[in-house]
Amino acid sequence: RNTGYNYSVADWILFLDDDVIPNDNIIDAYAGALQRYPDAKVLAGMTKLPEAQNIWTKMLKACNVGYFYGVSQRMRHPPWAVTANLLVRGSRFNPTIQFKDCYPKTGGGEDIDFVYQYKKFYLSMGMFATAAVPEAIVEHPWWRKGKTCYSQIMGWAWGDSMCTLQWPEKTFLTCPNWIEYTTFILPPLAVWTRKPLAGLIVGGSVVVLEHMIKTARYFPEALKQSTNILETLFVAFGAGTILSSQEITRVQATVYRWSFFSFCRRVDWFDGQEPRIKLDIQFGSVLRFAINLGITWVGLG
């Protein structure tokens, strides 16, 4: 992508994934947006995902893992957007902005980083450096044709975890989540109390509780995907495992890179535009951490 981006002398460059189908009027939609937002440097189109077609895609819908594919319908000035459908100012105006090699070629984090670079280059514009163009639509297929693909989801997490190191100013601290707790905190406590078996039971309890919470969280969305109560519960539980797989991957990335700065640190995906969501995450992490400590005290105390 850098090659085409750097060789182009165009005022604007449109990035599209090779598997999307653009609407016939996509260029007209972006041209109109340039008139409405003459100062914007990044224009985010609408990337539509198909309707759910099986249990796996119902899980993806329920956990809303594709939120930023459709962010142009939700925010007038998105914090970032996927490069599956993104119009940006040409490289001759901002030659230092590039796709970085530290992100995986399979995707994950590079689009966040790319847009953040634009916002930093045009710092004085703040959130107005980006603009939404919901009329510029592309149809995006399900990954792997709708087949189960945890590896795809985990690959994104491996990549986006790099953002904590590349953009530390866009991160915030929370209490340890369930996988950080059972990986870094619980084992030393079990060793110190000389109760390894009890430590395993406590760890299992933390994992079960976490996924009960996530199942409850995603149940309302799962209910929209199915009217069968057993299927709804399964979809809600599965939606939670998608998020958990990403959390596990980010911890693996932390250990692999020896980047313990990333411990308990989360990227603010909304780049300061939704402080309530950030506070909800922090408050929720405090409650979960307190419960996990209580379970540990009962099990090891």
Side-chain angles (χ1 to χ4, degrees), residues 131-142:
V133 191
E135 305 84 5
I137 300 171
V138 302
E139 305 284 343
H140 194 295
W142 286 118

Side-chain angles (χ1 to χ4, degrees), residues 174-275:
T174 69
C175 291
N177 62 22
W178 69 280
I179 186 63
E180 290 168 333
Y181 187 85
T182 56
T183 302
F184 300 116
I185 296 176
L186 185 57
L189 290 176
V191 171
W192 181 63
T193 57
R194 297 181 181 180
K195 295 180 178 179
L197 181 58
L200 286 173
I201 295 173
V202 168
S205 300
V206 168
V207 172
V208 169
L209 176 64
E210 174 66 21
H211 288 86
M212 288 175 63
I213 293 171
K214 284 175 177 167
T215 299
R217 172 185 173 185
Y218 293 125
F219 185 83
E221 287 300 319
L223 200 56
K224 297 177 184 177
Q225 307 297 325
S226 176
T227 55
N228 181 299
I229 186 63
L230 291 179
E231 182 180 290
T232 300
L233 283 170
F234 187 75
V235 167
F237 173 77
T241 67
I242 291 174
L243 180 60
S244 292
S245 71
Q246 292 192 312
E247 292 168 336
I248 292 170
T249 301
R250 292 184 184 115
V251 167
Q252 290 175 329
T254 294
V255 174
Y256 178 82
R257 298 176 185 134
W258 289 88
S259 57
F260 291 100
F261 169 81
S262 303
F263 180 66
C264 295
R265 192 169 290 276
R266 319 293 175 222
V267 176
D268 181 3
W269 307 120
F270 292 92
D271 198 14
Q273 293 178 223
E274 295 286 352

Side-chain angles (χ1 to χ4, degrees), residues 1-294:
R1 285 185 289 193
N2 280 336
T3 301
Y5 176 68
N6 292 326
Y7 270 97
S8 173
V9 294
D11 290 346
W12 294 91
I13 297 173
L14 176 59
F15 287 100
L16 297 173
D17 277 1
D18 60 0
D19 56 352
V20 304
I21 301 175
N23 276 20
D24 292 340
N25 69 338
I26 188 170
I27 299 300
D28 289 338
Y30 275 123
L34 291 175
Q35 299 298 314
R36 294 195 303 275
Y37 304 106
D39 296 324
K41 310 304 177 185
V42 176
L43 298 176
M46 172 65 187
T47 303
K48 294 180 67 174
L49 295 171
E51 292 299 316
Q53 63 190 44
N54 54 27
I55 294 294
W56 171 252
T57 51
K58 288 178 181 180
M59 291 176 182
L60 293 174
K61 286 277 190 179
C63 72
N64 208 13
V65 73
Y67 177 90
F68 280 94
Y69 281 76
V71 71
S72 66
Q73 286 191 327
R74 300 179 174 103
M75 304 178 74
R76 180 172 294 182
H77 299 284
W80 64 276
V82 296
T83 49
N85 182 14
L86 195 72
L87 185 74
V88 300
R89 197 65 163 140
S91 61
R92 65 191 179 93
F93 298 98
N94 26 249
T96 60
I97 298 174
Q98 301 285 297
F99 287 100
K100 298 176 183 175
D101 291 334
C102 60
Y103 294 96
K105 301 299 183 185
T106 52
E110 84 291 348
D111 37 16
I112 307 169
D113 183 279
F114 193 61
V115 176
Y116 281 0
Q117 287 183 67
Y118 269 91
K119 295 172 78 173
K120 183 176 181 179
F121 193 93
Y122 298 99
L123 190 60
S124 63
M125 297 192 63
M127 64 183 285
F128 299 106
T130 68
V133 191
E135 305 84 5
I137 300 171
V138 302
E139 305 284 343
H140 194 295
W142 286 118
W143 304 278
R144 290 193 60 195
K145 299 181 179 180
K147 297 177 182 177
T148 303
C149 55
Y150 279 100
S151 59
Q152 178 88 26
I153 307 299
M154 294 166 74
W156 294 344
W158 185 273
D160 68 39
S161 66
M162 181 60 72
C163 291
T164 59
L165 302 178
Q166 295 291 311
W167 300 95
E169 70 274 19
K170 297 182 184 295
T171 63
F172 59 94
L173 287 171
T174 69
C175 291
N177 62 22
W178 69 280
I179 186 63
E180 290 168 333
Y181 187 85
T182 56
T183 302
F184 300 116
I185 296 176
L186 185 57
L189 290 176
V191 171
W192 181 63
T193 57
R194 297 181 181 180
K195 295 180 178 179
L197 181 58
L200 286 173
I201 295 173
V202 168
S205 300
V206 168
V207 172
V208 169
L209 176 64
E210 174 66 21
H211 288 86
M212 288 175 63
I213 293 171
K214 284 175 177 167
T215 299
R217 172 185 173 185
Y218 293 125
F219 185 83
E221 287 300 319
L223 200 56
K224 297 177 184 177
Q225 307 297 325
S226 176
T227 55
N228 181 299
I229 186 63
L230 291 179
E231 182 180 290
T232 300
L233 283 170
F234 187 75
V235 167
F237 173 77
T241 67
I242 291 174
L243 180 60
S244 292
S245 71
Q246 292 192 312
E247 292 168 336
I248 292 170
T249 301
R250 292 184 184 115
V251 167
Q252 290 175 329
T254 294
V255 174
Y256 178 82
R257 298 176 185 134
W258 289 88
S259 57
F260 291 100
F261 169 81
S262 303
F263 180 66
C264 295
R265 192 169 290 276
R266 319 293 175 222
V267 176
D268 181 3
W269 307 120
F270 292 92
D271 198 14
Q273 293 178 223
E274 295 286 352
R276 182 188 59 80
I277 293 177
K278 173 183 170 181
L279 287 174
D280 284 349
I281 293 171
Q282 290 176 315
F283 182 67
S285 77
V286 171
L287 288 180
R288 279 178 161 98
F289 184 55
I291 293 171
N292 291 340
L293 285 176

